[in-house]
């Protein structure tokens, strides 16, 4: 049985609709969606060991089925550059999580590579009551909120559909090398959209998927945050 089936079955057995970030990223990786390097730590020593393996700077985030909005809970620490930073951040995150929700089940802390800045995009999917599994693409960060500039297509997607979703954005010039910046890797972005389309068709119980942000680089991409919700 593949990882994705195991993860989804386990969440169902535990009565969870929201997958943990570690689970969502493992599924992404299995479907050929590049994620930043990550690992789960359950104590400070493990967190430091993982950080040393991955390489600084590091991001730590709380992993808990009871804390979906990690930032609100003070459960995220970024740009950690030393073992001492990681130890201190691990302690703080756990203290903050307990203050935020005393009875929250804490699985651990995700230790992840701080991906270099790229052009931020958002890739999503939603199960539409009328059209079924639908894929979404837009520019990430403030552009989603500000411009509402996103495109939707009903799955399955061919590579040509995926490229159209990207090139038909109003903000496409920002991806295509605006004012002398290097263009983003459109092929790699189109591949993510096709892989998401395959994932949501293989697992129709996925009701929402949110990869935000995905960093788009001149070569390749990295998914920094992943969220999957089941029906």
């Amino acid at each position: 049985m593949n990882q994705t089936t195991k993860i989804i079955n386990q969440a169902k057995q535990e009565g969870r609709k929201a997958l943990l970030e570690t689970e969502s990223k493992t599924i992404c990786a299995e479907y050929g969606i590049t994620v930043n390097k990550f690992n789960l730590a359950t104590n400070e020593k493990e967190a430091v060991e993982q950080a040393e393996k991955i390489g600084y700077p590091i991001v730590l985030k709380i992993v808990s089925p009871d804390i979906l909005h990690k930032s609100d809970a003070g459960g995220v620490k970024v740009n950690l550059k030393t073992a001492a930073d990681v130890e201190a951040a691990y302690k703080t995150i756990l203290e903050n999580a307990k203050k935020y929700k005393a009875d929250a089940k804490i699985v651990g802390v995700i230790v992840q590579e701080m991906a270099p800045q790229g052009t931020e995009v958002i890739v999503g999917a939603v199960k539409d009551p009328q059209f079924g599994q639908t894929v979404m693409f837009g520019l990430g960060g403030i552009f989603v909120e500000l411009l509402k500039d996103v495109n939707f297509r009903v799955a399955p997607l061919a590579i040509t559909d995926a490229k159209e979703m990207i090139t038909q954005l109003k903000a496409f010039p920002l991806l295509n090398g605006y004012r002398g910046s290097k263009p983003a890797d459109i092929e790699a972005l189109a591949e993510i959209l096709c892989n998401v389309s395959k994932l949501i068709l293989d697992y129709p119980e996925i009701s929402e998927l949110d990869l935000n942000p995905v960093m788009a680089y001149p070569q390749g991409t990295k998914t920094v945050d992943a969220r999957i919700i089941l029906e």
Side-chain angles (χ1 to χ4, degrees), residues 43-231:
N43 58 51
E44 289 152 49
K45 186 170 170 281
E46 273 179 22
V48 171
E49 279 167 13
Q50 299 296 352
E52 305 277 335
K53 256 188 222 164
I54 291 167
Y56 296 99
I58 285 289
V59 175
L60 295 189
K61 295 191 225 172
I62 191 76
V63 179
S64 164
D66 302 314
I67 301 174
L68 292 186
H69 302 289
K70 304 180 190 87
S71 298
D72 296 355
V76 180
K77 296 286 172 195
V78 302
N79 205 18
L80 307 169
K81 292 177 175 160
T82 65
D85 287 352
V86 169
E87 271 189 34
Y90 190 99
K91 278 182 193 153
T92 306
I93 283 174
L94 257 65
E95 284 164 12
N96 290 349
K98 289 188 177 116
K99 274 183 213 154
Y100 180 77
K101 196 173 193 307
D103 60 345
K105 183 188 174 198
I106 311 280
V107 177
V109 167
I110 188 171
V111 182
Q112 61 183 45
E113 161 197 16
M114 187 154 164
Q117 190 58 44
T119 305
E120 291 187 22
V121 301
I122 176 170
V123 174
V126 64
K127 194 166 189 177
D128 184 90
Q130 202 170 349
F131 299 107
Q133 294 292 36
T134 307
V135 180
M136 184 269 278
F137 179 80
L139 248 69
I142 55 163
F143 293 102
V144 176
E145 306 295 322
L146 201 64
L147 303 177
K148 306 277 187 275
D149 184 17
V150 291
N151 282 332
F152 289 89
R153 286 284 159 94
V154 176
L157 295 186
I159 200 84
T160 47
D161 301 319
K163 283 182 180 168
E164 277 176 11
M165 285 179 77
I166 297 165
T167 55
Q168 287 172 4
L169 282 182
K170 293 199 241 1
F172 176 65
L174 288 172
L175 284 172
N176 202 31
Y178 184 68
R179 291 200 168 171
S181 63
K182 286 188 175 173
D185 190 337
I186 305 304
E187 294 288 333
L189 288 172
E191 203 176 306
I192 291 182
L193 291 168
C194 290
N195 291 345
V196 164
S197 161
K198 183 170 178 356
L199 167 62
I200 58 179
L201 289 175
D202 287 351
Y203 294 92
E205 59 268 59
I206 293 175
S207 68
E208 273 177 59
L209 174 146
D210 192 19
L211 311 180
N212 181 26
V214 175
M215 294 295 183
Y217 303 115
Q219 279 190 304
T221 61
K222 264 186 189 162
T223 298
V224 174
D225 211 332
R227 205 169 59 96
I228 294 174
I229 310 283
L230 306 174
E231 284 179 319

